Amino acid sequence: MKNNVLNEIDPSLRDEMLAELFLDQTMNDFKRSKILKEIDQSLKNKDKQAFLRLTEELKSLS
């Protein structure tokens, strides 16, 4: 049977690490959603410069 690395870590440290991972993912999801809305708006406004800038920002989140 494989040993799970998370089971070998102090429970309070494990909880802190999991909470930090969750927060990071939540913030990333929020930023991605915000940028996608701004991209939609740049397309509606036919703002090529904003579109290009925002798509680069989106790529950097990946």
Side-chain angles (χ1 to χ4, degrees):
M1 182 185 254
K2 288 185 177 180
N3 285 336
N4 189 339
V5 174
L6 286 178
N7 289 335
E8 297 175 11
I9 298 174
D10 176 14
S12 62
L13 180 58
R14 181 185 65 223
D15 292 346
E16 184 179 332
M17 290 169 60
L18 290 173
E20 188 172 334
L21 287 171
F22 176 76
L23 181 58
D24 287 347
Q25 184 62 49
T26 302
M27 289 298 295
N28 194 29
D29 291 348
F30 174 78
K31 288 177 187 176
R32 181 178 304 281
S33 175
K34 184 176 181 238
I35 291 171
L36 288 171
K37 287 177 185 175
E38 291 177 8
I39 287 173
D40 286 346
Q41 191 60 47
S42 72
L43 289 170
K44 287 178 188 174
N45 295 339
K46 298 180 181 177
D47 185 345
K48 183 177 179 178
Q49 287 182 338
F51 173 80
L52 293 173
R53 178 180 52 80
L54 291 163
T55 55
E56 286 302 315
E57 281 185 45
L58 187 61
K59 287 179 192 177
S60 73
L61 288 179
S62 301

